[in-house]
Amino acid sequence: AALARSVTEAAAEAVARSGRFTLGLSGGSLVALLARELPPALSAAPAADPSRWLVAFCDERLVPPEHPESTGGAYRV
């Protein structure tokens, strides 16, 4: 929950300052953690405005998005 709050606070500051927030996401256990904790954190911080986010998936494995080990694919599920 602390990580999700930190992300939303940084997002709110960035959106207020420059109109956008850029976030790089890795895979692994972070996927489940953010899926569980980020929605409530965003509900509590409307200034974080996810429509203003640019999200990049950081994936060291050179696999297509539909591959089971793809970071981007893990977040889509």
Side-chain angles (χ1 to χ4, degrees):
L3 174 61
R5 282 192 306 275
S6 180
V7 168
T8 56
E9 288 169 8
E13 291 172 15
V15 168
R17 184 179 58 253
S18 65
R20 69 179 172 154
F21 175 60
T22 304
L23 179 65
L25 293 173
S26 62
S29 60
L30 187 63
V31 177
L33 181 139
L34 288 178
R36 181 181 64 245
E37 301 293 342
L38 196 54
L42 285 169
S43 292
D49 189 4
S51 72
R52 308 298 305 166
W53 294 22
L54 171 64
V55 177
F57 298 112
C58 306
D59 199 336
E60 75 285 358
R61 296 158 297 205
L62 296 173
V63 298
E66 61 278 353
H67 191 278
E69 293 186 18
S70 163
T71 296
Y75 280 98
R76 271 194 300 279
V77 173

